[in-house]
């Protein structure tokens, strides 16, 4: 009987394989074994599901688990207790689209091409949708997108945010997620992308400074009623997102097993938006994976958004490719306290935003020191001028706007975490500054940066044709003198062709 049963199962398995091959399910290059496993119910138990929850515009300092007792982040605090909290996690750009592009490609903004807001990733870049599909995963986006082109981000499923009454922002698609968690038979990689706490914020009546936690970078605003009211609305929006996270965790715990990696983060800090300060680039990062991560642990290692996709690929049984910047931090999740990165880097591109001043910056950071180069500092303005009055108007405007930001900045972030004291001229730290500067310029060259170590080279950037964001036109937040309007030609710009 035992032998007979085996003989019957063999043909059935073959029939199942034939039906699968003819079903029309898209499969990328993979071994037959991987393709078979990726489409069986057995997979759901032996290959982990990967969930990444991304909040929008929330400072790392505004969580209970990161030391702010005045804001309600109980869901994230719970994740920290049940998993691992990272104290040195970073994005390279404090702005929505460039930050997300790193998560989805494993490459820094300059290399993947999306280094200005509302701009596109290079069409030749391979993203998470392609890479994880090849490894047998279904790749899902639930919520805000903010990335393009569609040819690079080819989601298996994509659910838009859902309008909701009496709140300032749309909700994540909870019903679609619940149905998916109940019914999926395939291992999946899902990005849940909230629109909270990004403004517009809640309108909080009778806001009080006593209910807000202040830090060295904003403590002077305790008596600013408008600031306090806005901050109170921001806190209330954080609380609304906390409600969403609680509902997601309830779904995860109800329908998925312990072999599910859940990572929470926020795309960048709102207080340091558009800058390369830590308040913009340092992000909350909490991971829970009951079968792997020891509860209540902390990692102080440098990790970066570019490391997320390589880690997911590693978990799926593969490795990152040579064209990717990121590295896997799977060993950290498994309890091995080994360095992942020597440095993390930052990019500032003020162009292509509503204020749109010409003031690009680059940053390099290790666990102790951080070096910033402000390429259009007023210190070098004269050398950056071109002799063309209409071009020089915008170069001068950018340098003057940020006149208090010097060419070089050096922080001891270990002893000065809020970056209050510039040590660039400290005689004892010149060797450290020189090393960081050298390594920064080497990284920029490897990234294909349009800037280099040459003082006197200050390009204006835009896209070709009508797609370009033009400096010589008004925006809702910036007015241009009539004499300067529409005076720039394509020859005055460095054209970013793929935008």
């Amino acid at each position: 009987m035992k032998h007979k049963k085996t003989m019957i199962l063999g043909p059935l398995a073959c029939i199942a394989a034939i039906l699968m091959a003819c079903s029309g399910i898209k499969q990328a290059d993979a071994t037959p074994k991987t393709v078979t496993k990726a489409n069986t119910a057995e997979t759901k138990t032996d290959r982990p599901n990967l969930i990444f929850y991304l909040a929008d515009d929330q400072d790392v300092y505004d969580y209970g688990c990161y030391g702010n007792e005045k804001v309600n982040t109980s869901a994230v605090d719970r994740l920290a207790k049940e998993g691992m909290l990272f104290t040195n996690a970073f994005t390279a750009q404090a702005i929505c689209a460039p930050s997300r592009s790193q998560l989805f490609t494993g490459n820094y903004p300059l290399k993947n091409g999306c280094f200005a807001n509302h701009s596109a990733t290079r069409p030749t870049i391979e993203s998470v949708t392609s890479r994880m599909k090849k490894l047998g995963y279904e790749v899902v986006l639930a919520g805000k997108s903010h990335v393009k082109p569609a040819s690079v981000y080819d989601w298996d499923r994509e659910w838009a945010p859902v309008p909701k009454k009496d709140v300032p922002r749309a909700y994540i698609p909870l019903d679609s997620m619940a149905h998916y968690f109940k019914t999926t038979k395939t291992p999946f990689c899902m990005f849940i992308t909230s629109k909270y706490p990004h403004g517009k914020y809640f309108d909080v009546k009778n806001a009080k400074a006593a209910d807000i936690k202040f830090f060295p970078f904003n403590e002077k605003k305790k008596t600013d009623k408008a600031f306090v009211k806005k901050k109170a609305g921001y806190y209330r929006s954080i609380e609304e997102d906390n409600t969403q996270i609680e509902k997601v965790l309830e779904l995860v715990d109800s329908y998925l097993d312990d072999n599910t990696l859940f990572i929470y983060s926020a795309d960048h800090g709102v207080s340091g938006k558009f800058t390369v300060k830590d308040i913009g680039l340092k992000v909350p990062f909490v991971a829970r994976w009951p079968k792997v991560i020891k509860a209540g642990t902390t990692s102080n290692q440098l990790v970066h958004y570019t490391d997320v996709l390589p880690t997911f690929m590693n978990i799926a049984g593969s490795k990152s490719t040579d064209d990717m910047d990121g590295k896997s931090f799977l060993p950290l999740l498994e309890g091995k306290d080994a360095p992942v990165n020597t440095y993390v880097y930052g990019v500032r591109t003020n162009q292509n935003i509503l204020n749109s001043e010409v003031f690009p910056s680059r940053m390099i950071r290790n666990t102790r020191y951080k070096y910033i180069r402000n390429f259009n500092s007023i210190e070098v303005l004269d050398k950056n001028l071109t002799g063309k009055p209409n071009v020089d108007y915008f170069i001068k405007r950018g340098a003057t706007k940020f006149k208090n930001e010097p060419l070089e900045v050096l922080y001891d972030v270990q002893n000065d975490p809020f970056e209050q004291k510039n040590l660039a001229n400290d005689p004892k730290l010149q060797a450290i500054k020189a090393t960081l500067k050298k390594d920064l310029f080497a990284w920029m060259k490897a990234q294909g940066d349009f800037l280099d170590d040459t003082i006197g080279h200050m390009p204006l950037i835009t896209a070709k044709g009508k797609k370009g964001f033009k400096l010589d036109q008004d925006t809702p937040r910036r007015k241009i003198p009539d004499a300067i309007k529409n005076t720039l030609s394509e020859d005055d710009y460095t054209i970013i062709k793929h935008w």
Side-chain angles (χ1 to χ4, degrees):
M1 290 295 294
K2 193 171 185 179
H3 178 70
K4 186 176 180 181
K5 185 176 182 181
T6 303
M7 293 295 291
I8 293 171
L9 283 175
L12 287 176
C14 293
I15 292 169
I18 293 169
L19 290 174
M20 191 179 300
C22 298
S23 66
I25 296 174
K26 291 192 291 184
Q27 293 290 345
D29 295 337
T31 65
K33 182 178 180 182
T34 302
V35 172
T36 301
K37 285 189 71 178
N39 288 276
T40 65
E42 177 188 4
T43 301
K44 195 171 181 180
T45 59
D46 62 13
R47 302 186 76 192
N49 295 315
L50 308 170
I51 299 175
F52 196 105
Y53 190 106
L54 189 68
D56 196 346
D57 280 27
Q58 185 170 344
D59 292 348
V60 68
Y61 305 114
D62 291 332
Y63 295 83
C65 56
Y66 284 99
N68 187 341
E69 72 285 357
K70 295 188 176 183
V71 62
N72 180 7
T73 57
S74 57
V76 180
D77 300 345
R78 171 194 161 189
L79 287 170
K81 290 176 182 177
E82 296 176 353
M84 178 178 287
L85 181 144
F86 290 78
T87 64
N88 277 313
F90 291 84
T91 179
Q93 208 156 348
I95 191 167
C96 291
S99 185
R100 291 157 197 266
S101 73
Q102 300 162 81
L103 284 174
F104 299 151
T105 67
N107 283 318
Y108 277 91
L110 291 164
K111 184 185 284 187
N112 75 45
C114 180
F115 58 86
N117 212 24
H118 305 286
S119 60
T121 303
R122 298 183 197 281
T124 54
I125 292 287
E126 191 172 5
S127 81
V128 62
T129 57
S130 171
R131 294 190 187 275
M132 293 305 290
K133 285 178 190 179
K134 288 180 180 180
L135 299 175
Y137 275 71
E138 193 163 53
V139 191
V140 182
L141 181 70
K144 177 178 176 177
S145 173
H146 217 291
V147 291
K148 57 186 179 182
S151 60
V152 171
Y153 302 107
D154 181 22
W155 309 100
D156 288 309
R157 299 170 189 257
E158 182 177 0
W159 307 308
V162 179
K164 185 176 173 66
K165 291 183 178 180
D166 302 320
V167 294
R169 307 283 283 170
Y171 249 49
I172 55 175
L174 287 164
D175 289 344
S176 297
M177 291 158 53
H179 178 72
Y180 184 79
F181 289 163
K182 289 179 189 178
T183 59
T184 184
K185 302 298 182 183
T186 303
F188 64 85
C189 172
M190 179 182 290
F191 291 90
I192 304 171
T193 47
S194 173
K195 298 189 82 169
Y196 284 93
H198 191 296
K200 177 182 177 183
Y201 302 132
F202 281 86
D203 182 12
V204 175
K205 307 297 182 183
N206 302 315
K208 299 176 182 177
D211 296 327
I212 306 297
K213 183 157 186 174
F214 290 85
F215 300 91
F217 55 83
N218 63 14
E219 61 185 356
K220 293 181 180 179
K221 295 187 176 182
K222 284 183 180 180
T223 58
D224 185 333
K225 291 183 179 181
F227 178 84
V228 170
K229 182 176 176 60
K230 183 177 180 180
K231 205 72 172 178
Y234 161 72
Y235 273 26
R236 174 65 185 86
S237 290
I238 290 173
E239 185 176 11
E240 193 70 20
D241 199 39
N242 188 71
T243 299
Q244 292 191 118
I245 302 166
E246 287 177 340
K247 291 178 180 178
V248 171
L249 291 177
E250 183 179 344
L251 294 176
V252 170
D253 294 344
S254 296
Y255 301 118
L256 304 176
D257 61 23
D258 284 349
N259 197 17
T260 298
L261 170 60
F262 191 105
I263 297 177
Y264 170 88
S265 189
D267 61 351
H268 57 78
V270 65
S271 297
K273 194 164 186 171
F274 309 126
T275 77
V276 286
K277 290 289 191 78
D278 271 14
I279 187 56
L281 300 184
K282 196 171 190 178
V283 294
F285 204 89
V286 183
R288 185 188 74 168
W289 189 2
K291 292 189 72 171
V292 176
I293 298 173
K294 184 179 178 181
T297 52
T298 299
S299 175
N300 299 316
Q301 296 292 347
L302 278 176
V303 297
H304 195 269
Y305 269 14
T306 57
D307 300 327
V308 170
L309 179 52
T311 302
F312 284 178
M313 293 170 67
N314 197 182
I315 291 170
S318 185
K319 295 181 179 179
S320 59
T321 56
D322 291 340
D323 61 334
M324 298 173 72
D325 291 328
K327 303 171 185 175
S328 172
F329 55 79
L330 177 58
L332 296 181
L333 305 181
E334 295 173 332
K336 304 179 183 78
D337 189 28
V340 178
N341 297 292
T342 302
Y343 296 125
V344 292
Y345 305 89
V347 177
R348 176 183 187 176
T349 306
N350 280 357
Q351 290 185 238
N352 225 51
I353 62 176
L354 291 177
N355 292 326
S356 203
E357 307 294 357
V358 180
F359 199 82
S361 306
R362 304 290 183 262
M363 179 279 288
I364 183 172
R365 187 194 195 282
N366 57 29
T367 55
R368 178 69 187 271
Y369 293 103
K370 174 176 180 177
Y371 174 77
I372 298 170
R373 183 85 165 187
N374 295 310
F375 290 84
N376 196 27
S377 165
I378 204 160
E379 296 175 31
V380 294
L381 172 60
D382 290 345
K383 295 179 181 178
N384 283 340
L385 298 178
T386 66
K388 297 181 178 180
N390 58 332
V391 173
D392 289 344
Y393 169 84
F394 293 100
I395 295 175
K396 290 177 182 178
R397 184 180 175 121
T400 303
K401 173 72 175 179
F402 301 100
K403 61 184 178 182
N404 294 324
E405 297 193 38
L407 175 68
E408 294 185 308
V409 181
L410 181 69
Y411 293 123
D412 179 349
V413 287
Q414 183 174 297
N415 294 309
D416 179 23
F418 295 107
E419 301 173 341
Q420 299 296 294
K421 187 176 182 180
N422 182 9
L423 303 174
N425 295 322
D426 189 327
K428 297 178 182 178
L429 299 176
Q430 293 309 298
I432 290 171
K433 186 178 79 170
T435 297
L436 291 173
K437 185 192 303 185
K438 178 182 176 182
D439 292 345
L440 174 63
F441 286 133
W443 174 79
M444 289 169 57
K445 184 176 181 180
Q447 288 282 305
D449 202 336
F450 60 88
L451 294 171
D452 54 31
D453 59 352
T454 304
I455 294 176
H457 172 57
M458 188 46 50
L460 314 182
I461 60 172
T462 193
K464 188 174 181 63
K466 294 182 179 179
K467 293 182 180 179
F469 189 99
K470 307 303 182 184
L471 281 169
D472 56 356
Q473 296 174 10
D474 289 342
T475 76
R477 296 184 187 175
R478 184 201 62 185
K479 301 300 179 184
I480 301 300
D482 289 341
I484 299 295
K485 283 181 182 176
N486 302 312
T487 62
L488 294 175
S489 67
E490 285 194 356
D491 291 340
D492 296 320
Y493 289 102
T494 294
I495 304 295
I496 311 300
K497 294 181 180 179
H498 67 275
W499 287 355

